[in-house]
Amino acid sequence: MREAQRVALYYVLPSLVFVLLFSIYPIFESFRLSLYRMILTLPWLGQKFVGWENYRDLLTDPVAMKSLLTTLLFVAVTAPVEVLLGLFMALVLNESFRGRALLRAVVLVPWAIPTVVSSQMWRFIFNDRYGLVNFFLFGDATHLYVAPLAEPYLALIAIMVADVWKTSSFAALIILAGLQTIPDELYEAASIDGATLWQQLRHITLPLLKPALLLALLFRTIDALRVFDLVFVMTQGGPADATNVLQFYGYKKTFAEGMIGYGSTISVVVFFAALLLSLLYIRLLGARVLERPGR
Amino acid sequence: MRQNALQPVWWVLIGGFSLVPYLWFVLTSWKSPAQVTAIPPEIVPEFHWGFYLSALRDYGLLRYMRNSAIVASLTTLISIAIGSFAAYSLTRFRLSWTRIYLMLLLAISMFPQIAIAGPVWRILNTLGWLNTYQGIVAAYIALSLPLAVWILATFFKELPYEVEEAAMIDGCTRAQALWKVVLPLAAPGLFTASILVFIHVWNEFFFALLILTNPALQTLPVGIALFPGEYTMPWGEIAAASTIATLPLIALTLIFQRRIVRGLSAGAVKG
Amino acid sequence: MAITVLVFFVLFSCSFVFAETEIRFVTWKSQFPKVWDEAIRAFEAEHPGLKIVREIGPHSSTEFHDLVTQKLKNRDPEMDVFFMDVIWPAEFAAAGWALPLDRFFPAGEREKFLSAPILADTYRGQIYGVPVFIDAGMLYYRKDLLARYGFSPPRTWPELVAQAKAVLAKAKDPQLTGFSGQFKQYEGLICNMMEYILSNGGSLWDDDGLRGALHRPEAIEAVQFVRDRIIGEISHRGVLAYQEPESLALFAQGRAVFHRNWPYAWEIANDPQRSRVVGKVGMAVLPAFPGGKSVSTLGGWQLGISRFSRKPDLAWKFVSFMTSPEMQKRIALYAGRAPARRALYRDPDVLKKRPEFESQFETFVHAVPRPRTPVYVPLSNVMQRFFSSAIALRDSNIESLARLASRDMDRVLDLLREGVRP
């Protein structure tokens, strides 16, 4: 047992070094900074320990609260939509047909494009004059063209569309993997019993797919809570602050305004939001992967 | 489920959803400069190759792609190697802390990268590793380890312990057993993890922007993000660059999609 | 033998160390890279032993700011010279990041530059940057359309709206819009809105009392004018998402009667490759409100030296070279940027290649810098949020939004009263 302890530790050690240095230390550093007031551009104010003051300020900061709501709305819409769309794609892609390999590759295209590039692409597509969306909806009638990125409500939807496009295929991939573990015999037996496609979906596929669906939802939720690139490229938080998600607000505070303490506070809050939601999912998921291998 | 008559409709819908926005960008890359911002948009391009020429020649696209390929491959190799050892250890030993370590990895993968970026920058600065391949790769390894270890762990967990035990009884050391028995068996998992890590790293923008300011080392996302000038938006060049830059990844997914999917289903989401 | 090798090695390594001293220059990628490449080669040729190593960041002012401050806050000695947007010197000076240049850049030399950028580079009596080129807001208009309907360029904002409405009504072109400017929530929004507010006698904040001034009637009136008349009557709502490129594209496609932009737009609007209105474009100073004075926001870039640089004297050699009359002339001729040195506006070569500079000169002289303060960025973010909320929603309650914005600005400005400044 002693020996096992040692070997186990040796094997984990290299990963631990990287993780400690480049993840854990920075996280604790962020947490520490969130307890200070530190404004880079006003160095004479010094680094003052303020305890939980930044957290209290955050609760009374209307911009931060609106931003939290925007973020939660973003998560609440995109994560389920992506999982549903992913489910649909996975169901179709699970059938065997000629050209399936090609379609599977096509579906992965959005996922393979760097987010910075796809954000620029969507910004171009949503342009109010030369964008594809308007052309598709209104053709040559340019006087009808709308400006999705200029209207507070549409802008958030535009960001959501870009996110759904980019990441649904990732959800599809996970769900597809889950689908392939469902034995064909179940369906065969069901169709012999005269079950319709819908009944098969409801009574066989969905229940057996629950872990995969939850896993996809977990990954998408964590990722959506931290949405940044899309806002950074497409809207810079506007118009009327309608797309100012928490992570972007935190970035502005830390990197642009030099309010290190307050910016770190926002990051810590985003982290705990993600942690809470994931614990919830893991509970639902049953945390199978964490079980020790049977011997 | 059985085939149904609507299938072809779904194929077109799914394919269109995934491809049309991208194809629009591809068409844009062949337009002439005045055509790009034409109102209303013109669909058929004039097949003007100037944007490709200027993306490749004036904007140094190939250099960015080479850097991305180097950084992503190195990161993938090292983090899969390190990750395999960790995942093996975490799934093979009945120890109290292995579970905690896995949870820890999951938790740190939730932390906003923007908050980590500052301290990481300072560490790399201390090491003198800013603007080096090893600097960005080190940061990326840390970023991708949780993903790698989690996926690998789900694979290793499924592998029967007996084969390995047999090998050790036959005189293999544990390291040899890992190398000769476990890794080959887990090949689909290694492969999946590699692809996921590779794409994850290939797409990463924020760290690269801060760490790599030397244009000779900058990666593709940073490179393309640097295309816009202060008052100009070179849509044509961005479209051309995106078209070229995405081709290798499309090829990669086209060739390996079967493996990616099979790899995932072999472990990650077994109910 | 061993000694020979040792001596050789020492000599070699010494010569290696002393032969080339690197000066690190953090810059953005220019639209005209050749001009900068040649300038840097010329500098290296003139100063053997000095080598300029460039680090390239994004050209967007906001993103470049975040990159440079990341290096400065970590006291990175690997950065000697950097570009500064005209709004940063106060911030960099107060934070102790930029080196005061007074000993290199005496008052007599400063007089050779336009006064507005010099003012922007000065903080608490010391100078922190040397202007390279400047920008100022301009009004572009469709010469042909105004002439066809018998108008001359508008002197006031209400006149501009009236002319635009008349042209739109008579031209009967559903694709034509009256005005295109930059109203997205970003730094450019401040530049645009400041021109309305200041030309109505208002201000963004009161620099002496350190109090936000957006809730005052002049400011509210101007903001309301933009919402109801500019965006409500003559622009289409897309301008609320426009930065410079989109707004210029609209004008260059011949879809806008009036356009607000920086001087660079002239060249693009007259380039047959990129424009469909070549030769139909006029340029004028921006309108004012009746009784007010036309105001152009000052933009442009400066070179600064890092306080953490280990070789400020060598860095100055480079800065001084890049801002010399010869180099500014080169930049004016081949990159089309307006020089910061006064004399170049009388230079025959410059005027021959860039005749528009002559008429723009008045605007450059009177361009107004955005207020100088170390807390500019947080203030700007408050203002961006306010302006965007006020103009993007048709039924926004401008007064109450303005009061909130002024209060938030007060809170930021209060930080300046705290503690004892060195």
Side-chain angles (χ1 to χ4, degrees):
Chain A
M1 212 52 222
R2 230 341 92 90
E3 189 260 345
Q5 273 287 10
R6 225 184 50 237
V7 175
L9 196 64
Y10 283 162
Y11 281 18
V12 167
L13 211 55
S15 69
L16 194 63
V17 170
F18 279 97
V19 166
L20 275 178
L21 201 58
F22 293 110
S23 298
I24 297 188
Y25 158 72
I27 290 173
F28 277 97
E29 178 70 5
S30 287
F31 183 70
R32 187 182 70 83
L33 289 172
S34 75
L35 303 177
Y36 283 81
R37 193 182 74 170
M38 201 179 150
I39 301 167
L40 282 180
T41 54
L42 307 174
W44 59 87
L45 295 182
Q47 227 192 89
K48 198 168 108 201
F49 182 81
V50 293
W52 301 102
E53 198 182 292
N54 285 326
Y55 291 85
R56 273 204 302 277
D57 285 353
L58 192 68
L59 287 175
T60 54
D61 175 357
V63 180
M65 285 301 112
K66 188 184 167 202
S67 162
L68 177 66
L69 284 181
T70 309
T71 312
L72 292 178
L73 184 63
F74 181 84
V75 175
V77 173
T78 56
V81 168
E82 281 155 12
V83 171
L84 281 179
L85 205 61
L87 173 66
F88 172 65
M89 287 179 178
L91 286 173
V92 172
L93 290 174
N94 197 34
E95 300 295 322
S96 51
F97 53 88
R98 277 172 62 112
R100 182 175 72 168
L102 186 69
L103 191 59
R104 280 185 178 177
V106 161
V107 162
L108 292 178
V109 165
W111 182 53
I113 297 177
T115 316
V116 179
V117 173
S118 71
S119 315
Q120 295 283 17
M121 189 185 86
W122 281 102
R123 195 175 152 203
F124 185 64
I125 289 174
F126 280 125
N127 183 285
D128 66 312
R129 297 283 109 182
Y130 42 83
L132 182 64
V133 168
N134 273 310
F135 189 58
F136 182 75
L137 291 176
F138 304 111
D140 289 344
T142 52
H143 58 284
L144 295 175
Y145 281 16
V146 291
L149 297 177
E151 305 290 347
Y153 302 105
L154 293 179
L156 187 60
I157 295 176
I159 304 257
M160 289 171 174
V161 169
D163 192 66
V164 167
W165 180 78
K166 176 87 177 76
T167 52
S168 288
S169 48
F170 178 74
L173 207 64
I174 291 180
I175 297 168
L176 184 58
L179 272 179
Q180 299 194 330
T181 62
I182 302 177
D184 276 345
E185 295 79 35
L186 285 178
Y187 294 115
E188 277 155 27
S191 40
I192 290 166
D193 290 348
T196 62
L197 277 178
W198 173 244
Q199 284 171 328
Q200 290 181 25
L201 181 71
R202 254 200 77 189
H203 298 289
I204 301 172
T205 315
L206 289 183
L208 287 173
L209 213 51
K210 196 176 120 190
L213 289 172
L214 281 173
L215 193 70
L217 201 58
L218 169 70
F219 282 147
R220 287 313 314 143
T221 305
I222 295 177
D223 229 29
L225 269 169
R226 297 184 299 176
V227 57
F228 173 77
D229 293 10
L230 285 168
V231 172
F232 187 74
V233 174
M234 287 174 70
T235 61
Q236 287 280 313
D241 241 17
T243 58
N244 185 28
V245 292
L246 262 185
Q247 192 52 18
F248 183 72
Y249 189 50
Y251 166 82
K252 278 270 191 204
K253 285 284 168 201
T254 315
F255 281 88
E257 299 185 10
M259 310 248 178
I260 304 294
Y262 197 62
S264 304
T265 308
I266 297 174
S267 293
V268 171
V269 168
V270 172
F271 170 60
F272 277 107
L275 198 62
L276 267 175
L277 280 173
S278 353
L279 286 178
L280 191 74
Y281 286 132
I282 288 178
R283 175 127 297 190
L284 292 171
L285 200 62
R288 285 230 169 194
V289 71
L290 295 174
E291 282 163 18
R292 285 168 208 157
R295 288 188 66 172
Chain B
M1 278 187 292
R2 295 299 118 231
Q3 287 279 357
N4 101 40
L6 283 174
Q7 279 287 350
V9 180
W10 304 145
W11 301 337
V12 172
L13 268 182
I14 292 176
F17 171 78
S18 306
L19 268 192
V20 166
Y22 176 67
L23 286 182
W24 179 245
F25 229 32
V26 175
L27 284 179
T28 302
S29 69
W30 288 318
K31 291 180 181 173
S32 67
Q35 221 191 349
V36 169
T37 55
I39 309 165
E42 293 163 14
I43 295 186
V44 184
E46 289 167 13
F47 289 98
H48 163 97
W49 290 91
F51 290 137
Y52 283 88
L53 208 66
S54 93
L56 290 169
R57 197 187 50 202
D58 304 337
Y59 287 86
L61 180 66
L62 288 179
R63 192 182 62 228
Y64 295 131
M65 289 183 67
R66 190 200 61 205
N67 289 335
S68 268
I70 293 173
V71 169
S73 320
L74 278 177
T75 306
T76 308
L77 269 176
I78 300 173
S79 74
I80 295 300
I82 294 177
S84 303
F85 276 104
Y88 175 82
S89 166
L90 295 175
T91 51
R92 279 301 182 264
F93 299 103
R94 297 158 153 274
L95 298 172
S96 50
W97 51 266
T98 52
R99 194 187 152 94
I100 298 172
Y101 190 60
L102 265 175
M103 284 310 289
L104 184 77
L105 285 177
L106 184 68
I108 62 175
S109 72
M110 284 170 207
F111 206 73
Q113 297 190 350
I114 280 145
I116 302 180
V120 167
W121 195 96
R122 279 194 289 280
I123 294 170
L124 293 178
N125 193 22
T126 314
L127 294 171
W129 280 11
L130 289 174
N131 275 319
T132 59
Y133 285 133
Q134 68 266 34
I136 189 80
V137 167
Y140 278 172
I141 291 171
L143 279 190
S144 55
L145 266 176
L147 184 71
V149 172
W150 262 73
I151 292 177
L152 291 170
T154 56
F155 278 98
F156 287 0
K157 192 171 67 75
E158 299 298 324
L159 297 179
Y161 194 61
E162 291 73 22
V163 195
E164 201 183 328
E165 255 176 351
M168 285 199 281
I169 290 167
D170 286 351
C172 279
T173 63
R174 188 177 284 279
Q176 282 170 334
L178 173 61
W179 178 250
K180 288 186 181 158
V181 181
V182 179
L183 289 185
L185 281 174
L190 289 175
F191 196 84
T192 309
S194 304
I195 294 272
L196 292 178
V197 167
F198 188 91
I199 291 184
H200 181 63
V201 171
W202 179 274
N203 287 347
E204 204 286 332
F205 168 64
F206 191 70
F207 275 61
L209 180 70
L210 285 181
I211 295 172
L212 303 172
T213 46
N214 178 349
L217 298 174
Q218 277 163 339
T219 57
L220 194 69
V222 178
I224 293 184
L226 295 187
F227 275 24
E230 188 184 12
Y231 302 138
T232 49
M233 184 43 106
W235 288 121
E237 280 88 356
I238 294 180
S242 310
T243 307
I244 301 177
T246 312
L247 286 179
L249 289 194
I250 293 179
L252 209 66
T253 49
L254 189 60
I255 300 167
F256 295 122
Q257 58 82 20
R258 193 183 300 275
R259 278 180 179 261
I260 299 175
V261 174
R262 200 177 53 203
L264 271 177
S265 60
V269 288
K270 223 161 207 176
Chain C
M1 178 62 195
I3 290 176
T4 323
V5 170
L6 192 69
V7 167
F8 182 78
F9 181 70
V10 167
L11 277 178
F12 177 76
S13 60
C14 285
S15 68
F16 190 74
V17 170
F18 293 118
E20 287 208 322
T21 306
E22 287 185 349
I23 298 175
R24 296 216 167 229
F25 174 33
V26 176
T27 175
W28 24 251
K29 175 154 43 190
S30 165
Q31 294 304 294
F32 304 92
K34 279 197 197 105
V35 182
W36 299 92
D37 292 350
E38 282 166 13
I40 284 169
R41 268 203 298 277
F43 175 79
E44 288 174 342
E46 208 171 284
H47 298 84
L50 288 186
K51 185 172 160 34
I52 303 299
V53 179
R54 269 180 291 180
E55 294 191 29
I56 311 270
H59 203 152
S60 136
S61 167
T62 309
E63 290 161 48
F64 190 71
H65 171 270
D66 302 347
L67 182 75
V68 172
T69 53
Q70 174 71 14
K71 289 174 171 290
L72 288 168
K73 77 181 182 200
N74 290 293
R75 304 166 169 265
D76 182 5
E78 293 285 295
M79 174 168 70
D80 300 300
V81 178
F82 50 81
F83 260 121
M84 278 190 289
D85 195 350
V86 70
I87 43 183
W88 306 341
E91 178 192 355
F92 287 17
W97 292 339
L99 190 73
L101 302 176
D102 297 70
R103 68 185 157 115
F104 302 119
F105 191 29
E109 189 58 25
R110 285 178 227 168
E111 274 167 18
K112 297 178 183 157
F113 288 77
L114 292 166
S115 53
I118 291 292
L119 185 68
D121 284 329
T122 308
Y123 182 69
R124 301 195 140 221
Q126 287 185 300
I127 186 128
Y128 292 88
V130 186
V132 179
F133 56 82
I134 80 162
D135 265 338
M138 301 273 168
L139 181 71
Y140 294 85
Y141 58 91
R142 284 284 299 280
K143 227 166 34 184
D144 57 326
L145 288 177
L146 289 203
R148 191 184 307 159
Y149 301 109
F151 293 121
S152 54
R155 311 291 303 189
T156 68
W157 291 112
E159 211 181 312
L160 179 143
V161 172
Q163 289 188 4
K165 283 172 80 172
V167 172
L168 291 181
K170 290 177 186 151
K172 295 205 169 48
D173 176 359
Q175 306 211 356
L176 196 63
T177 177
F179 183 81
S180 135
Q182 299 87 40
F183 295 102
K184 179 177 169 171
Q185 186 173 339
Y186 81 119
E187 182 58 34
L189 180 60
I190 309 282
C191 302
N192 278 253
M193 294 306 292
M194 186 175 121
E195 288 162 351
Y196 293 91
I197 292 176
L198 268 61
S199 72
N200 197 32
S203 61
L204 301 180
W205 71 81
D206 166 1
D207 214 17
D208 301 320
L210 294 182
R211 279 284 161 271
L214 293 173
H215 60 287
R216 298 201 185 136
E218 302 85 13
I220 290 189
E221 220 176 83
V223 173
Q224 193 158 2
F225 182 87
V226 172
R227 185 192 67 183
D228 297 341
R229 309 288 312 278
I230 300 278
I231 293 165
E233 292 183 9
I234 59 169
S235 282
H236 58 73
R237 294 182 59 77
V239 292
L240 291 166
Y242 281 2
Q243 296 186 193
E244 286 86 352
E246 298 95 333
S247 62
L248 174 58
L250 192 70
F251 185 70
Q253 289 283 349
R255 311 291 199 209
V257 186
F258 294 106
H259 175 47
R260 182 265 176 215
N261 210 328
W262 310 99
Y264 83 99
W266 179 257
E267 188 175 352
I268 293 178
N270 283 305
D271 174 3
Q273 278 271 305
R274 290 179 286 182
S275 167
R276 295 181 180 177
V277 291
V278 178
K280 298 177 185 167
V281 181
M283 192 167 36
V285 294
L286 285 165
F289 281 96
K293 236 177 72 201
S294 162
V295 171
S296 260
T297 303
L298 177 78
W301 290 82
Q302 350 285 314
L303 287 176
I305 298 178
S306 164
R307 194 185 282 256
F308 313 109
S309 164
R310 296 203 188 98
K311 37 212 161 188
D313 294 346
L314 297 178
W316 171 256
K317 276 191 183 170
F318 178 61
V319 171
S320 135
F321 181 87
M322 294 302 278
T323 52
S324 63
E326 298 74 41
M327 281 305 122
Q328 294 219 335
K329 181 169 174 178
R330 204 185 270 213
I331 291 166
L333 287 177
Y334 305 113
R337 308 307 302 253
R341 284 180 177 269
R342 293 170 187 272
L344 289 172
Y345 291 90
R346 295 186 299 270
D347 185 291
D349 301 334
V350 171
L351 289 182
K352 191 166 162 240
K353 181 103 190 270
R354 308 275 169 198
E356 70 273 15
F357 281 170
E358 193 165 15
S359 54
Q360 290 172 339
F361 183 66
E362 269 309 292
T363 314
F364 293 147
V365 169
H366 293 115
V368 182
R370 280 153 277 176
R372 284 166 298 150
T373 166
V375 287
Y376 182 77
V377 181
L379 289 174
S380 168
N381 285 336
V382 171
M383 291 190 291
Q384 288 174 31
R385 193 168 288 131
F386 161 63
F387 289 139
S388 184
S389 308
I391 64 177
L393 297 163
R394 275 169 248 243
D395 52 355
S396 59
N397 183 343
I398 296 182
E399 270 119 69
S400 88
L401 287 173
R403 266 196 308 277
L404 283 176
S406 276
R407 201 200 59 200
D408 285 348
M409 289 171 79
D410 290 350
R411 204 176 289 166
V412 175
L413 288 164
D414 278 343
L415 292 170
L416 294 175
R417 295 173 208 272
E418 272 181 51
V420 184
R421 273 200 249 189

